[in-house]
Amino acid sequence: MKYRPEIDGLRALAVIPVILFHAGFNLFSGGFVGVDVFFVISGYLITTIIIEDIENKSFSIINFYERRARRILPALSFVMLVCIPLAWIWMLPDQMKDFSQSLVAVSLFAANILFWRESNYFAAEAEEKPMLHTWSLAVEEQFYVLFPIFLIMSWRFGRNRVFWMIILMATLSFLLSEWGRRNFPIANFYFAPTRAWELLAGSISAFIVQKRGLKKNNPLALLGLAAIICSIFAFDDSIPFPSVYALLPVLGVVLLILYAEKETLAAKILSTKIFVSIGLISYSAYLWHQPLFAFAKISQLEQPSPKLMVILFALTLVLAYFSWRYIELYFRKKQNIDSKKIFIFSALSLLLFLNVGIIGHLKSSDLNSGKFNPLSVLYSSNLGDYIVDNARLQRESWDVLRKMSNNSKYGVTNNPFDQELWFDLSDQKRKILLVGNSHSKDMFNVLKHSESFLSNNQVARFGVQLSELDETHKFWQSKNYQAASHIVVTSRYYPNDIIALPKIIQRVLSEEKKILLIENIFEFPGKASGLTLIDKIVLQNSKLGIAELSRKINQAYYNYYKSDKNNKIMTINRELSKIANNYQIPTLNRMDYICDVDLEICDAVEENLRKNFYDYGHHTLDGSYYFSKHRRLKKFLEPLEQY
């Protein structure tokens, strides 16, 4: 296969945005599309190699897997080996258990399946998973296992028919991803069947280039480059992915593969020394960046500063160069390590990490890990019912709905259970349907356990981001919506939600249902994957008595709440009030049941230090129980009860 330096340059264009996206730089909000770029490149290169070998009658499945092993496993094994002692130093027992599970999954080429089960790729807790990025390697490895076998078995039908078979498979995979992003978005992101169309887009490109050669077309090549760059800066984590949106970067890569002949401006840009140099070390850079960023976040109380992330970005490139120079290149040369030895090395290294991972999973509580983690003092404290692990509290907050739905994956949106009927139609009580994102889960938990509320009302939930509620959304045909008397919108509103809200209100009112808006909850410092304001106060005042510490926390929350400069949600709530006034519908303020103006407290914790929040504003399950019984809930619900 003829070397194309612009392909290495394209790798650089893929890896740099991914790294900067994970570093948290908002400018690169769509940097995650770099993975899609890698998929297309991989599909193109692998297919080109296989076609040439098949036509030259030199293809060997063993040789193919050997090349893949040489390319992928040595550098990956080295990075994993370095991560193990760092994990032991900084990761608390629960984190160490998760990390150990990731070692097992990576060793079995199933990291994408593990991370699908654990978390959303864009969720805050995912940022602290050192092996998170290996999900994409698992997708490629699964493709490498099956695709060569498909080509060998189907080649007897002729190149042209194989080409159309691949187009058919790519189309089906694309349609599956469109269906998946609406129904199972997390699985859709991680799974090979919904990602295969991106790899197959590269395969289709390889067939075209093999047949007619590389063409020179400046406008189309520049259009391809622009499409990739546009997606990097225009997309963000609110874009459903992969989906029709992924066509922008994918087709951009296809255009470059087909039309970026060396004389085109796009090829000249991508073939510059800096792009090619970074492209050569792109695989190692991809391997190093996530562990560096994850351990930086785990080892600090605060979010790492932009300055530190820039330093880690530079360190990523330095480490990438050395692992490329002394590991990747060394293992690729047969004169350094022959075929037999590379297979032995691969088997032993995978077996090593598999066993280390199993031991870590089974013995995580006995490994004495995380002694250098700044939170270790909180984990060893004995302060009433205080729990430091916010990620655990976040998971538990879904328990009520997951038990009701008999679905351990019930989450923010796209739940089949939301299409079923929750209401008892024979009961004459008012039927209240909560609509929104994760905050509708919190509101459901509160109301579901309020005896006074349930004496006059039934309650159900439909999880959806308001901006997605167009006229064709399945919400409108759902059984709970059809049966509901009142629609209560409770969400964390984003600008696109505000834009969508008037049409939603108009439709609900036109169908003779009542609708109310719950304002954005006030946002306090904190995230589920790290510390909340509660934890910071405990860390600074751990020697205080439990009752005194509880008062101090609740007073601090009130002071923060009453500080106008901290009220980041005021602008959106003003917009909500305007919309509500235009349609003469009530609004509710959740701070009415959270805070007591007379006592000057906000109940962030109970008297025994049991948390009511696990992040900036989501309730713990205990918090939902607490607020469901509180006398202040009646004041909060007055607009609903009187409507």
Side-chain angles (χ1 to χ4, degrees):
M1 183 176 67
K2 184 179 179 182
Y3 175 65
R4 294 180 61 180
E6 69 274 10
I7 297 297
D8 273 328
L10 192 54
R11 283 194 176 108
L13 188 61
V15 75
I16 295 300
V18 170
I19 296 173
L20 294 175
F21 168 74
H22 285 149
F25 294 107
N26 292 332
L27 180 62
F28 295 85
S29 59
F32 55 87
V33 303
V35 173
D36 305 82
V37 174
F38 274 127
F39 283 157
V40 182
I41 294 172
S42 293
Y44 166 71
L45 294 175
I46 291 304
T47 305
T48 300
I49 292 169
I50 294 175
I51 291 175
E52 289 180 354
D53 285 353
I54 289 176
E55 294 194 330
N56 293 330
K57 300 187 184 304
S58 60
F59 181 77
S60 163
I61 195 73
I62 298 298
N63 289 340
F64 174 82
Y65 291 147
E66 179 190 336
R67 288 197 296 266
R68 292 299 89 206
R70 290 181 184 275
R71 177 77 175 90
I72 294 172
L73 293 180
L76 174 61
S77 297
F78 181 66
V79 171
M80 291 170 70
L81 192 64
V82 172
C83 284
I84 290 172
L86 296 179
W88 182 78
I89 289 171
W90 280 315
M91 297 186 105
L92 297 163
D94 285 346
Q95 294 172 317
M96 191 68 186
K97 185 173 183 177
D98 287 345
F99 172 74
S100 299
Q101 291 171 353
S102 71
L103 293 180
V104 174
V106 173
S107 303
L108 297 175
F109 308 139
N112 57 333
I113 297 173
L114 173 72
F115 293 122
W116 158 65
R117 293 178 61 85
E118 286 187 346
S119 68
N120 186 328
Y121 178 78
F122 299 105
E125 69 265 21
E127 298 175 1
E128 296 184 359
K129 295 182 181 294
M131 294 287 105
L132 176 69
H133 58 326
T134 59
W135 75 268
S136 63
L137 300 183
V139 170
E140 291 198 18
E141 287 157 352
Q142 291 156 17
F143 179 79
Y144 296 154
V145 168
L146 298 176
F147 189 67
I149 297 173
F150 160 75
L151 281 183
I152 294 169
M153 294 180 66
S154 62
W155 202 257
R156 66 180 183 273
F157 298 114
R159 173 202 285 263
N160 193 50
R161 288 183 179 176
V162 173
F163 174 72
W164 287 106
M165 287 180 196
I166 292 175
I167 289 180
L168 176 61
M169 290 191 299
T171 302
L172 292 175
S173 173
F174 174 75
L175 293 175
L176 182 62
S177 75
E178 269 297 292
W179 176 83
R181 68 102 163 177
R182 290 175 170 83
N183 296 281
F184 301 98
I186 299 177
N188 183 57
F189 185 90
Y190 284 117
F191 278 14
T194 53
R195 289 287 186 170
W197 69 272
E198 298 176 330
L199 289 143
L200 293 172
S203 299
I204 293 167
S205 303
F207 271 84
I208 295 172
V209 172
Q210 283 281 312
K211 183 175 181 179
R212 68 173 197 182
L214 176 61
K215 298 294 183 180
K216 176 183 178 181
N217 191 314
N218 248 314
L220 288 179
L222 285 172
L223 179 63
L225 188 60
I228 298 170
I229 293 172
C230 177
S231 60
I232 290 168
F233 295 109
F235 289 178
D236 58 34
D237 58 13
S238 69
I239 298 291
F241 230 78
S243 64
V244 66
Y245 292 99
L247 284 171
L248 187 62
V250 168
L251 292 180
V253 181
V254 169
L255 289 175
L256 286 168
I257 290 173
L258 298 180
Y259 298 109
E261 192 269 341
K262 64 180 181 181
E263 295 301 320
T264 61
L265 179 58
K268 288 180 179 178
I269 293 171
L270 293 172
S271 298
T272 55
K273 187 174 182 179
I274 182 65
F275 274 103
V276 173
S277 297
I278 294 175
L280 290 172
I281 64 170
S282 60
Y283 174 59
S284 281
Y286 184 74
L287 290 178
W288 280 112
H289 83 282
Q290 179 64 19
L292 289 177
F293 294 166
F295 286 124
K297 291 167 184 174
I298 290 169
S299 64
Q300 299 190 62
L301 291 175
E302 302 292 341
Q303 188 74 5
S305 66
K307 181 179 179 181
L308 176 58
M309 298 310 279
V310 169
I311 293 172
L312 292 177
F313 169 72
L315 180 59
T316 295
L317 297 182
V318 172
L319 291 173
Y321 171 77
F322 280 99
S323 58
W324 169 76
R325 176 72 178 80
Y326 296 107
I327 297 175
E328 286 192 60
L329 292 184
Y330 178 84
F331 278 88
R332 286 187 206 173
K333 297 176 180 178
K334 285 193 174 184
Q335 58 266 38
N336 293 331
I337 181 167
D338 62 28
S339 300
K340 182 179 179 181
K341 289 179 180 177
I342 193 65
F343 281 119
I344 292 173
F345 166 82
S346 300
L348 290 178
S349 61
L350 294 176
L351 191 61
L352 169 66
F353 294 118
L354 182 66
N355 280 281
V356 170
I358 292 172
I359 293 170
H361 169 72
L362 296 175
K363 302 289 186 181
S364 58
S365 58
D366 302 325
L367 295 176
N368 205 27
S369 65
K371 288 301 181 183
F372 290 88
N373 189 304
L375 293 181
S376 61
V377 63
L378 292 181
Y379 274 82
S380 61
S381 65
N382 185 20
L383 295 170
D385 292 328
Y386 172 76
I387 295 174
V388 65
D389 189 350
N390 293 307
R392 167 189 155 189
L393 297 174
Q394 179 187 42
R395 292 190 298 271
E396 291 176 352
S397 72
W398 289 98
D399 282 354
V400 173
L401 285 161
R402 288 174 178 170
K403 184 176 180 180
M404 282 181 56
S405 63
N406 195 28
N407 177 9
S408 63
K409 289 296 180 182
Y410 185 97
V412 180
T413 61
N414 298 295
N415 301 294
F417 188 63
D418 291 352
Q419 296 292 326
E420 299 180 17
L421 182 65
W422 301 16
F423 296 125
D424 179 358
L425 297 182
S426 65
D427 191 332
Q428 297 304 307
K429 293 176 184 176
R430 299 191 310 173
K431 297 169 180 62
I432 312 299
L433 179 58
L434 303 172
V435 180
N437 53 29
S438 56
H439 287 277
S440 66
K441 170 261 297 179
D442 289 353
M443 202 71 256
F444 179 84
N445 285 344
V446 171
L447 299 182
K448 185 67 175 176
H449 295 95
S450 171
E451 294 179 4
S452 60
F453 174 79
L454 294 178
S455 65
N456 297 311
N457 305 279
Q458 297 183 60
V459 62
R461 173 188 185 262
F462 193 102
V464 67
Q465 193 65 40
L466 299 181
S467 58
E468 297 179 7
L469 265 183
D470 57 24
E471 294 180 356
T472 62
H473 197 282
K474 56 191 175 185
F475 165 75
W476 304 109
Q477 282 72 48
S478 65
K479 294 177 182 178
N480 287 328
Y481 174 73
Q482 297 293 329
S485 58
H486 292 66
I487 307 301
V488 179
V489 182
T490 173
S491 206
R492 188 189 195 189
Y493 303 89
Y494 295 92
N496 285 344
D497 300 325
I498 300 298
I499 294 170
L501 199 51
K503 286 187 176 180
I504 296 171
I505 295 172
Q506 290 168 19
R507 176 155 183 179
V508 172
L509 293 176
S510 72
E511 297 182 1
E512 299 183 348
K513 298 178 187 293
K514 295 183 177 181
I515 184 169
L516 303 87
L517 307 180
I518 296 182
E519 297 176 356
N520 261 8
I521 195 168
F522 185 90
E523 297 188 4
F524 298 96
K527 59 179 184 175
S529 62
L531 295 180
T532 64
L533 182 57
I534 298 170
D535 301 310
K536 292 177 181 178
I537 296 171
V538 171
L539 195 61
Q540 296 165 0
N541 302 274
S542 59
K543 294 183 179 179
L544 293 178
I546 292 174
E548 186 179 356
L549 185 53
S550 171
R551 284 194 300 272
K552 188 177 187 70
I553 291 170
N554 291 339
Q555 288 168 356
Y557 266 70
Y558 181 84
N559 293 336
Y560 195 92
Y561 168 54
K562 283 301 179 180
S563 175
D564 283 345
K565 67 179 181 179
N566 294 323
N567 198 341
K568 299 175 184 177
I569 48 86
M570 186 178 290
T571 302
I572 280 186
N573 283 346
R574 278 198 293 261
E575 291 296 320
L576 287 175
S577 294
K578 289 179 183 177
I579 293 172
N581 289 335
N582 287 341
Y583 293 96
Q584 296 183 324
I585 59 176
T587 60
L588 293 79
N589 183 353
R590 292 175 64 189
M591 304 312 291
D592 286 344
Y593 71 77
I594 292 170
C595 299
D596 191 313
V597 176
D598 296 330
L599 297 177
E600 297 188 347
I601 59 169
C602 291
D603 287 334
V605 296
E606 300 173 41
E607 290 182 357
N608 53 2
L609 284 182
R610 183 178 289 124
K611 289 180 178 177
N612 292 331
F613 296 100
Y614 61 74
D615 62 4
Y616 66 87
H618 286 99
H619 295 325
T620 62
L621 193 55
D622 286 328
S624 297
Y625 291 150
Y626 174 80
F627 291 122
S628 74
K629 311 298 181 187
H630 205 287
R631 58 179 175 78
R632 291 193 299 262
L633 187 66
K634 182 178 179 181
K635 176 185 176 182
F636 164 74
L637 290 174
E638 280 179 0
L640 173 59
E641 298 291 357
Q642 297 171 3
Y643 188 37

